Amino acid sequence: MKKTLKKFALCIGLISLMQINVGAQNEIDALRFSELDWQGTARFMGAGRAFGAVGAEFSALNTNPASIGLYKRNEVTFTPMTLSIFKNASDYNGTNTLAQGVKYNVGSAGMVWALPGVSSTLWKKFQIGFGFNRVKNYNNVFSIEGRNAGSTIGSEVAITATNLGLNSDDVRRWPEGPGGAEAWIGWNSFLIDNITPTTYRPTMEGVNMFQSSTVIRTGGNDEMIFSFGSNYDDMVFIGATLGVPFIDFTENRTYKEVNDKNAESFNFQNISITDRLSVRATGINLKLGAIYQPFDFLRVGVAFHTPTYYGNVREFFERRMEAHAWEDVLVSGSWVRDYYGVEDSYANRFNYSLTTPLRAMANVAFFIQQRAFISAEYEITDYSMATMYSTRYNFNTENKNIQNLYGLSHIARIGAEFSVTQVFSIRAGYNYISSPYKDNINDGSKHYASAGLGFRTRVFYSDFAYALTTSKEKYWLYEPAFVNAVNNKFITHRVMLTMGVRF
């Protein structure tokens, strides 16, 4: 059908700002903020993050708090440099696109005090620790380009307009509510058309078009810790850590769809969507741990982490859209081709609460003549136990999706350190993190390999580490029912430097 849109009408009020009540928060957020990727000091990272039974390592206070019980001297530690280099590849319908990025952050900082025990008892030391470690690094970037194989975001927009029950007069007038802005843009750019007065179809379905997207994620989860521990007869070490994590996450996403092959056959020319998601939250959790040393060469440990409760997750979502089209209009008795653009935007603020799953860990470490150790850990988490809730919105659908989509994730870590001399050490480690998804609906598994060097005197130490993380993930440009998956391959190179003193 014919749709007429005058240029002078577009010049006034092209951008309408609408406050809506439902934002981007969903089961994806629940997984994103429940998953952890332990980071911290260079020694911790270089030896495969497997320090739960080794002890006397500041970053291990986040994994097995009993690690603090092994401290016999005071320590101040600082990791001023964690440099992440991303080299990612995205395959969409046979087109491979590379993306690279570099990001810097402070990895950790903290202090541990080793206090005298109780005289005439077997409690030899008490320890108190304070500081922070980064427990999740959100920094990443990937880009997608390719031909659409007949798919179009107009299919999603058409379904939205149909489900809203909009008629053609509604979509001409910037309809209020979720999806209204997308329907308005889709209608006035010829991306969608109506079959009946309230039923819509994508006009560009099956048309060969170019699609592209870039996603840039920044931020991290830095956990402030307050730890307490003790040493009983150099055989039993116990500890507890109160964790206060701070989430700072931002995602900027652009999406473009261009009718570059059929400009003269279809009125629609292109659409561009820019999304910005910003999330801030503060949580609280408790970690308990114990280490037992039956022999000089052997230590075993266990740790239990309560769920983290984020009582006020503050989310801001903003979407800006721009589309271009053309139509033939009658001017002074002659048909003239009229090219025009339409724009719209909206923003949404929403607060909700999130409870992440609990965690359990088991650790073991073998020591060789006080010159080397080999350690191993196992960690298990059930991501289906994450829960979202709010007094303003019923999260029943999202919580059911969490239970249906996510399940048990297993993590195996192994690490080793060898003292070449009294002051120089070398380290290496490997981790495997299984996928948190059920039924192979996505991959999400990760591999982590690391190596490191250490220089230590009685008072001063400096450590350096390199870590390589690889993973795969399926990603959809829009509703999966209408588009093929993008196959992402993520490679992250990370280098860390830590300095500290013991006294």
Side-chain angles (χ1 to χ4, degrees), residues 127-149:
Q127 299 87 4
I128 298 174
F130 167 78
F132 84 92
N133 288 293
R134 173 154 288 197
V135 296
K136 178 70 174 182
N137 199 326
Y138 297 121
N139 297 314
N140 207 354
V141 58
F142 58 93
S143 295
I144 302 162
E145 292 184 355
R147 311 304 302 186
N148 63 334

Side-chain angles (χ1 to χ4, degrees), residues 22-29 32 277 315 317 348 350 352:
V22 179
Q25 60 283 342
N26 53 37
E27 62 277 1
I28 297 175
D29 293 312
R32 176 186 291 132
L277 173 64
E315 182 170 291
F317 177 77
N348 170 46
F350 192 84
Y352 62 95

Side-chain angles (χ1 to χ4, degrees), residues 56 65-73 113-119 121-128 228-240 289-293 299:
S67 175
I68 197 172
L70 275 296
Y71 275 96
K72 295 183 179 180
R73 301 169 62 200
W113 292 269
L115 307 174
V118 179
S119 59
T121 73
L122 294 178
W123 292 103
K124 295 189 174 183
K125 287 284 185 179
F126 293 98
Q127 299 87 4
I128 298 174
F228 173 82
S230 186
N231 168 356
Y232 183 82
D233 197 27
D234 288 331
M235 292 184 62
V236 177
F237 309 88
I238 59 173
I291 298 173
Y292 177 56
Q293 182 169 322
R299 291 180 195 149

Side-chain angles (χ1 to χ4, degrees), residues 70 107 148-149 151 193 222 233 272 315-316 346 400 421 499:
L70 275 296
N148 63 334
S151 169
D193 204 345
D222 295 310
D233 197 27
S272 175
E315 182 170 291
F316 175 73
Y346 62 82
K400 287 180 181 179
T421 68
M499 297 176 290

Side-chain angles (χ1 to χ4, degrees), residues 331-402:
V331 178
S332 301
S334 301
W335 289 99
V336 177
R337 181 150 294 177
D338 185 22
Y339 294 90
Y340 60 86
V342 290
E343 300 178 33
D344 205 353
S345 67
Y346 62 82
N348 170 46
R349 295 184 185 274
F350 192 84
N351 292 6
Y352 62 95
S353 298
L354 170 66
T355 300
T356 70
L358 55 83
R359 297 173 184 274
M361 300 182 187
N363 331 106
V364 62
F366 298 93
F367 297 85
I368 305 171
Q369 297 180 350
Q370 297 184 345
R371 293 197 59 180
F373 70 76
I374 299 174
S375 59
E377 297 186 359
Y378 170 72
E379 177 180 335
I380 186 170
T381 307
D382 186 355
Y383 288 102
S384 69
M385 297 176 65
T387 307
M388 308 175 74
Y389 40 95
S390 169
T391 58
R392 294 177 51 198
Y393 173 74
N394 187 333
F395 277 98
N396 285 345
T397 299
E398 289 79 5
N399 287 328
K400 287 180 181 179
N401 288 339
I402 291 171

Side-chain angles (χ1 to χ4, degrees), residues 154-172:
S155 298
E156 182 179 282
V157 176
I159 290 294
T160 299
T162 299
N163 290 340
L164 289 173
L166 302 173
N167 59 46
S168 57
D169 289 333
D170 292 329
V171 292
R172 285 193 181 99

Side-chain angles (χ1 to χ4, degrees), residues 164-221:
L164 289 173
L166 302 173
N167 59 46
S168 57
D169 289 333
D170 292 329
V171 292
R172 285 193 181 99
R173 293 194 301 261
W174 298 300
E176 298 276 341
E182 287 83 353
W184 184 84
I185 284 284
W187 174 266
N188 289 301
S189 66
F190 293 90
L191 183 63
I192 64 172
D193 204 345
N194 59 334
I195 303 171
T196 71
T198 58
T199 304
Y200 297 83
R201 67 177 182 89
T203 56
M204 306 303 294
E205 188 172 35
V207 178
N208 182 16
M209 293 190 293
F210 177 78
Q211 295 174 325
S212 64
S213 180
T214 297
V215 178
I216 301 174
R217 295 169 181 159
T218 59
N221 187 338

Side-chain angles (χ1 to χ4, degrees), residues 186-292:
W187 174 266
N188 289 301
S189 66
F190 293 90
L191 183 63
I192 64 172
D193 204 345
N194 59 334
I195 303 171
T196 71
T198 58
T199 304
Y200 297 83
R201 67 177 182 89
T203 56
M204 306 303 294
E205 188 172 35
V207 178
N208 182 16
M209 293 190 293
F210 177 78
Q211 295 174 325
S212 64
S213 180
T214 297
V215 178
I216 301 174
R217 295 169 181 159
T218 59
N221 187 338
D222 295 310
E223 186 169 67
M224 193 72 66
I225 59 172
F226 306 86
S227 297
F228 173 82
S230 186
N231 168 356
Y232 183 82
D233 197 27
D234 288 331
M235 292 184 62
V236 177
F237 309 88
I238 59 173
T241 293
L242 178 68
V244 181
F246 297 88
I247 291 175
D248 182 355
F249 172 79
T250 300
E251 179 178 278
N252 290 289
R253 173 185 180 269
T254 61
Y255 172 80
K256 294 181 180 180
E257 190 167 288
V258 184
N259 180 20
D260 59 339
K261 296 284 189 180
N262 298 277
E264 296 301 316
S265 303
F266 297 88
N267 298 73
F268 171 82
Q269 289 189 303
N270 59 68
I271 186 171
S272 175
I273 300 174
T274 302
D275 293 338
R276 178 180 175 84
L277 173 64
S278 176
V279 182
R280 305 291 183 270
T282 302
I284 189 168
N285 60 57
L286 179 65
K287 305 176 180 71
L288 302 173
I291 298 173
Y292 177 56

